[in-house]
Structure formats: structure tokens, C-alpha cells
Amino acid sequence: MTDLPPLSGRALLWRMARAIIVFIIIFFILVILVVNTSPGHAALREPSASKANLQLNKDGDFRIAIFSDLHYGEQEDGWGIEQDQNTTRVMSSVLRDEKVDFVVLNGDLITGENTLRENASDYVEQIIRPMLQSNKPWASVYGNHDSQFNLSREAIYKAERVYSLCYTDTVNHLPGSSNYYVLIHPHQEEGAEPEGLDPAAILWFFDSRGGKAFNHDPSSDTADLPDWVAPETSKWFIETHKELREKYENRVIPSIAFVHIPPHIFSQAQKAGVHADLFPGLNDDMPLAFQGNEGEDAAFVNALLQAEGLHSVHVGHDHGDSWCSTWPGKDATSKAPFLCFAKHTGYGGYGTWDRGARILHLTISSKAEGANQGGALSVDTWVRMENGNVVTQVSLNETYGIDRYPTGTGE
């Protein structure tokens, strides 16, 4: 065997230099990966990039139906079958009566503790049928009943995502499976070339977690999941809100937030007084149930209050409440977000109140040239009952909390 000639000094130095360069490149790649995947931080990306852009209609309007607390799967071989059929009927009737552009499933899609492991996530097919039949896109946040011994949020998410109309998304490494945002874009005529217009509005979705850990002994304390929006998620919200503003020429883009379990600020609003003629709607869950023990969601509440342009926060969980109020201690002119309950939609879950859905009618004006504000957002909202009646119709504007409204709740 012939011995290789020894390397010259110059060749040896060149090999060492190349090795050092490769090491430095690998090191910086690893640093970038660690920073962008650490809890509380995710690289800014366009959500649901593979989906068609949500757009305002030509009049600058956008309508959302909120279906909350559906609770499918409560009794699989008896009365639960009829109960689920009734829930599907409610959603179908609302989508027939209201010409909405988008649907939000605001938590507790399935009562996971009553389902079997082998078919728990199969209920997604029933849940989304009204949207598929009416060709309406939707997005979900998950509730405390969506995580149980036989059911996981991840399984629901996986079952939803196979459908092209589904805009449910997730930010990896944040606690909970339904933390993300969806952009609403200005209207563009069919076939028109995109002109790089700023988004007209942002829909934020937050996972308040809760329930039981999948495949854990439900009687064990270790199976309980924290039932509040995690501080890491609040940090992500603040950072992403800032990054979006910087990306779009420092403009404040109006937004709306959805989360299943009410933050504790809703409890403070209820204690301050939900007067039926000022804040119409059911107020039967007293005291209402909120996230964690008071204070565990403090980071989230502070983030909501700090988020410039956030118009309102919409929750479910408390089936006997359906009111909207101003932020306690602040009037509507303060720009603090409004606080709104959805309407119990499902025939599952506790309570015998009549079913329905909250409707949001968003109107967004064109932004002023050179202004640092996006277009002005105004929101009218009402509850469409299963029987077709419209109740608690209000305008969430600067005089909300002063204006007087009819007190009928549809019951």
C-alpha cells in the first residue's frame, strides 16, 4: 500500500479553515432554529398559507357565525344520537337564515369524556357537515371538554385539517393546539392581480386549555390540564401583534379575538353589573366560570388590553350567558376591547335555554392614505335563534353602555 504524501502547511491550513467555516454555519443554523422554536416565540408566517384568502365582500363587510359549546357525542347509543342531530339542525338553520362569510367553532366541540377512544374524533365529520353543505369556511378553538382520557385536541385538529374549508391552525411549541391567527383581506374582483394590500382585519384564536390529559387516569390530579391561556401564548401574541404592525408599514390592523373559557375580566364585568337594557342577553350563569383561579390568566388579560386595535373578545363555556359588555372600569371610548359571550348552540352540555348563534357583522372602511391606522372597524352583533328570531341586536361602538336596547333574550 502506497503511503499518502504529507500535506503541505498551506493545504493543512486550508482544510482547517474550511472545517471552521462549516462549524460556524452549522452553529448559526442551530441558533436560528432554537430561537424560532422556543416557547413563546414563533417565526412570523402567513397562517393557512395553502388556503384561499378570506376577503371582505365588495361593500367592505364580513359576517361571522359563532357556534359555541356543541358537545357532540354525549350518549352514543341512545338519546345522544337525537341530541347531535338537533345540534346539526341548529347550525344548518342559522347558516340558512344568515348569509355569513365565515364560521367560528368556539370550543367544546365534543364531550370527550363520554366518547369511545376508537371513534372520538370521528364526530368532527358530523360537526362540520353544515359548513361543507353550505360551502362556508371555518376555524376552531378548543375547549376543556375537547381534551379527555379518550380524546385529544391534537386528534380533533388532525381530523379537521383534511378539509380545504378548514382554517384552524396551530403554532408549534405553544401550550394548547389552537393558538393562531387568520387574516381577512380587502375585497378584490375575481381575476384581479393581488396588489400587496394590507390585511383588512385579523382574527385571533387562543387555546384556554383545560380538561384531562389524553390517555391518563382521569381520577389522578396529574391528569388535570391548566385551564387558562398560557403565559407563553400571551408573549407570542404580543410579539406577533408587534411584528404584524411592523410588517404592514406600522399600521394598526383592527382585530377580534376568540377563546373558549372567559378570562377573569369577564367575571369583573359581571360583578360590576350587567344591566339588561345596556348589555342585553342572558345572564343566568352567576357567578360565571372563568380561566384558572383569578390571576392565573393575568398575562393574557394584560395582553388583550395592550393590543392596539383589538375590538372585542368572544367566549363560550358559560351556557347561560349571552351578553356583551364594555371592559370594566372603562367606557367604550377608551378603546379597550368589548367582552362578549357567544350563544349556546349545541343540544349537548348543561342547560335548557333555547339554542342559537351569535352573529358578527364587521364593516371595515378604507384606511386613510399615510395614516398609521388600518381601516376603521365597526361591529354590529345579534343572536340568531334556532326558530329564526333575531334578539339582542346591538352596535359595539363608542356609545355602547350608554345606548338603551330591548331586553328580550329569546327565551
Side-chain angles (χ1 to χ4, degrees):
M1 182 175 179
T2 305
D3 292 335
L4 294 174
L7 292 173
S8 67
R10 179 176 295 178
L12 184 60
L13 287 174
W14 172 238
R15 284 197 177 186
M16 291 176 62
R18 283 193 302 176
I20 292 171
I21 291 170
V22 170
F23 173 80
I24 291 172
I25 292 172
I26 293 174
F27 174 79
F28 277 105
I29 290 173
L30 290 174
V31 168
I32 292 170
L33 288 173
V34 169
V35 170
N36 283 337
T37 59
S38 60
H41 183 90
L44 183 63
R45 65 180 179 87
E46 294 297 330
S48 301
S50 62
K51 308 290 183 181
N53 285 344
L54 298 180
Q55 293 186 21
L56 303 176
N57 63 36
K58 61 183 179 181
D59 297 320
D61 295 353
F62 194 83
R63 295 195 183 204
I64 300 171
I66 306 175
F67 295 144
S68 189
D69 296 274
L70 303 175
H71 287 280
Y72 275 78
E74 289 201 334
Q75 216 270 5
E76 297 193 324
D77 57 0
W79 50 263
I81 297 173
E82 181 179 2
Q83 183 171 273
D84 292 346
Q85 291 171 342
N86 290 340
T87 300
T88 300
R89 185 186 67 242
V90 175
M91 292 193 288
S92 296
S93 68
V94 169
L95 294 178
R96 183 181 61 249
D97 293 338
E98 295 282 354
K99 306 304 180 186
V100 302
D101 302 289
F102 197 65
V103 172
V104 171
L105 303 178
N106 208 24
D108 282 358
L109 283 63
I110 301 169
T111 303
E113 59 267 38
N114 293 141
T115 59
L116 301 175
R117 182 177 305 185
E118 56 266 26
N119 71 342
S121 61
D122 292 349
Y123 282 98
V124 169
E125 184 178 348
Q126 291 186 53
I127 293 168
I128 65 173
R129 191 172 299 154
M131 281 75 81
L132 295 179
Q133 291 174 341
S134 58
N135 197 35
K136 301 299 182 186
W138 78 89
S140 302
V141 292
Y142 302 135
N144 48 300
H145 287 279
D146 295 318
S147 287
Q148 296 293 332
F149 176 77
N150 286 331
L151 177 67
S152 69
R153 282 162 154 73
E154 292 76 16
I156 300 176
Y157 175 76
K158 183 178 179 181
E160 279 194 85
R161 287 289 293 181
V162 301
Y163 296 94
S164 60
L165 289 172
C166 174
Y167 283 71
T168 307
D169 209 339
T170 189
V171 174
N172 293 331
H173 309 291
L174 290 179
S177 299
S178 51
N179 299 294
Y180 60 102
Y181 65 92
V182 174
L183 302 178
I184 302 175
H185 296 266
H187 176 74
Q188 288 187 307
E189 296 297 336
E190 188 173 352
E193 289 295 325
E195 298 179 1
L197 297 175
D198 294 356
I202 306 170
L203 305 180
W204 295 98
F205 299 85
F206 301 104
D207 198 320
S208 51
R209 304 180 293 168
K212 301 286 185 178
F214 177 67
N215 205 26
H216 280 60
D217 180 0
S219 64
S220 169
D221 290 341
T222 61
D224 292 333
L225 299 176
D227 58 351
W228 60 90
V229 174
E232 300 97 312
T233 302
S234 302
K235 181 182 178 184
W236 165 82
F237 173 42
I238 292 170
E239 291 175 347
T240 306
H241 184 277
K242 179 182 177 182
E243 290 172 357
L244 285 169
R245 179 167 179 168
E246 291 172 350
K247 178 177 180 178
Y248 295 107
E249 300 178 353
N250 204 34
R251 296 185 189 276
V252 177
I253 302 171
S255 62
I256 290 177
F258 302 92
V259 62
H260 179 65
I261 304 177
H264 76 263
I265 195 68
F266 278 75
S267 175
Q268 294 181 13
Q270 188 181 59
K271 291 175 182 177
V274 178
H275 303 290
D277 57 341
L278 298 177
F279 306 136
L282 284 173
N283 189 31
D284 288 353
D285 273 333
M286 295 183 64
L288 62 84
F290 53 84
Q291 294 183 21
N293 296 314
E294 192 158 344
E296 287 178 312
D297 65 342
F300 182 54
V301 171
N302 290 336
L304 294 173
L305 190 56
Q306 292 173 25
E308 191 174 359
L310 180 61
H311 176 275
S312 48
V313 182
H314 298 266
V315 303
H317 191 62
D318 293 277
H319 301 180
D321 290 337
S322 63
W323 45 264
C324 292
S325 81
T326 53
W327 192 282
K330 299 181 182 294
D331 61 26
T333 62
S334 70
K335 305 300 183 183
F338 296 98
L339 307 176
C340 282
F341 277 96
K343 174 66 175 170
H344 184 199
T345 305
Y347 270 75
Y350 72 90
T352 58
W353 300 280
D354 292 339
R355 274 64 175 187
R358 178 166 295 284
I359 307 298
L360 304 179
H361 179 199
L362 284 59
T363 303
I364 303 175
S365 63
S366 299
K367 63 179 182 290
E369 188 67 30
N372 69 345
Q373 296 285 333
L377 170 64
S378 61
V379 177
D380 293 327
T381 182
W382 57 88
V383 169
R384 173 71 70 170
M385 303 297 289
E386 179 184 5
N387 62 11
N389 291 340
V390 171
V391 297
T392 62
Q393 185 166 6
V394 301
S395 295
L396 299 178
N397 56 23
E398 291 186 351
T399 57
Y400 191 66
I402 300 173
D403 298 331
R404 304 280 177 170
Y405 291 98
T407 58
T409 62
E411 298 300 316

